[in-house]
Amino acid sequence: MRANGIPAWLAIVVACIGVVGVLLGGLLQAWRDDRRWNRERENERERWRREEKARWFDKKTETFNHFLTAMDDWTIRLFHPSFAIEVRKPEELAQRASQYLTQIRWMADPATINACARYWRSLSSVSADRADDTPGPTDERTKFFIKLEPAWREIFDKMGPSQELDEAIKTGVRVFHIECIQAVRKELLPEQN
C-alpha cells in the first residue's frame, strides 16, 4: 500500500486502462480517418467520371455537329449550287465529311455508324453521278447508285413510273439524312427515345 491509502495494484490497473484507452482512441480515430479518406477519394473518382462523361458527350456532340454540317454543305453544293455558302468543290466537302465520319466510327454505336455511313455513301454516289456529265439511260444510272449504296434499291423500287430519277435521288438523300439524324439523336439522347 502507498502512503495515501491506494493499493499499488489499483494504480497499475488504472494506468494500464489509461494506456489501453489512449491506444484504442488512436485506433478508432485512424479507422474514422481511413473511412473518411476512402469516402472522399470515391467521391473524387465519381466526380472525375462525371466530368469525363461530360467531356466525351461534348466531343461526340461536336463531331456529329461537324459531320452533319459538312454533309449539309455538300448536299447544298450538289443540289443547289447557287445557294452554296462556301464555294468549295464537292470533292473537298466530301473529304471534310469523310474525316468526321472516321471520327464517328471511333465513338458511336454500330447503328449510328451505319446510318451516317449510308448518308455519306448516298451523297458520294450522287457526287459521282454528277461528275459524269453524260447522263446515261435511267437503268444504268440506277444500277450505278445501287452498286455504290445498296440502300438505293429500296428508294428506286418505290419510285413511280412518272417520277424522274433526279427527284427520286433527292428523295433518297432526304431519307438517308433523316435516318442519320434519328440515329445521332438516339445516340446522344438515349433516355428520350
Side-chain angles (χ1 to χ4, degrees):
M1 243 189 183
R2 296 178 73 190
N4 56 3
I6 301 176
W9 66 269
L10 186 59
I12 293 173
V13 169
V14 168
C16 288
I17 291 175
V19 169
V20 169
V22 168
L23 291 175
L24 285 178
L27 289 174
L28 182 63
Q29 186 61 37
W31 178 73
R32 284 181 183 165
D33 287 344
D34 283 345
R35 279 187 47 205
R36 189 180 73 234
W37 173 257
N38 288 336
R39 231 182 2 253
E40 287 174 3
R41 189 173 54 199
E42 189 57 38
N43 289 341
E44 189 71 16
R45 283 183 182 155
E46 184 60 34
R47 186 177 64 83
W48 288 343
R49 278 191 286 269
R50 282 193 310 271
E51 288 174 359
E52 181 63 30
K53 190 175 178 181
R55 277 193 299 274
W56 183 243
F57 179 81
D58 290 344
K59 177 66 176 162
K60 283 173 74 169
T61 303
E62 179 183 349
T63 302
F64 284 129
N65 184 28
H66 288 311
F67 173 74
L68 291 172
T69 301
M71 293 298 287
D72 288 344
D73 291 345
W74 190 15
T75 303
I76 290 169
R77 181 73 173 95
L78 287 173
F79 291 108
H80 309 287
S82 60
F83 296 141
I85 296 170
E86 296 184 40
V87 187
R88 290 187 175 183
K89 293 180 180 178
E91 298 82 24
E92 292 175 28
L93 297 169
Q95 181 64 31
R96 190 172 75 185
S98 176
Q99 290 170 348
Y100 291 118
L101 180 60
T102 301
Q103 291 178 16
I104 288 171
R105 287 189 171 142
W106 286 98
M107 63 177 57
D109 65 20
T112 306
I113 293 168
N114 288 337
C116 292
R118 191 170 29 252
Y119 183 31
W120 186 89
R121 286 191 307 266
S122 72
L123 278 187
S124 181
S125 57
V126 171
S127 192
D129 181 59
R130 298 282 165 98
D132 183 13
D133 291 335
T134 57
T138 302
D139 289 344
E140 288 180 25
R141 288 179 72 199
T142 56
K143 287 178 185 173
F144 170 76
F145 276 92
I146 292 170
K147 179 181 168 191
L148 292 176
E149 173 51 55
W152 277 110
R153 180 180 307 282
E154 188 177 323
I155 303 295
F156 293 141
D157 287 346
K158 293 178 182 177
M159 182 175 76
S162 64
Q163 189 176 11
E164 286 284 324
L165 179 61
D166 289 336
E167 200 56 41
I169 290 169
K170 286 181 184 178
T171 302
V173 169
R174 269 189 240 113
V175 168
F176 295 131
H177 181 236
I178 290 168
E179 286 177 0
C180 181
I181 287 177
Q182 288 173 341
V184 167
R185 185 177 293 138
K186 189 174 183 179
E187 171 93 16
L188 293 176
L189 306 169
E191 66 277 352
Q192 293 183 5
N193 294 315

